[in-house]
Amino acid sequence: MDENYIRIIDLPSTVHGVTVRDEDGNYNIYINSSLSADARKRAIEHELKHINRGDFEDICSDISDLETNMP
């Protein structure tokens, strides 16, 4: 429970990464395979910030608000 799994997959070019929490409470981070190694690292760091901030616990938040308030 509360494990992070990172997968590199094909995503639309406008999506760098996305995280989904599964029924076991694990976080599945999907990173766009078309990104450079450096961009992948930044995307992973970005997704981990969402996890560490508890953004997946706040079901009332609008995703655009979460992205706008990202440090």
Side-chain angles (χ1 to χ4, degrees):
M1 190 165 151
D2 289 339
E3 297 289 328
N4 299 328
Y5 298 99
I6 299 171
R7 295 176 173 85
I8 309 300
I9 64 169
D10 292 337
L11 291 170
S13 62
T14 57
V15 178
H16 289 197
V18 64
T19 299
V20 178
R21 191 168 189 192
D22 66 25
E23 64 275 357
D24 295 325
N26 299 311
Y27 294 98
N28 296 275
I29 301 170
Y30 299 97
I31 301 299
N32 194 326
S33 62
S34 69
L35 297 175
S36 68
D38 194 48
R40 286 181 188 178
K41 180 181 175 187
R42 286 191 308 271
I44 291 167
E45 290 171 350
H46 178 90
E47 295 303 319
L48 288 171
K49 285 180 186 177
H50 282 297
I51 293 169
N52 292 331
R53 286 190 343 178
D55 289 345
F56 297 94
E57 309 303 320
D58 187 1
I59 60 172
C60 296
S61 290
D62 183 307
I63 189 68
S64 61
D65 290 339
L66 295 175
E67 290 297 323
T68 301
N69 295 320
M70 181 65 69

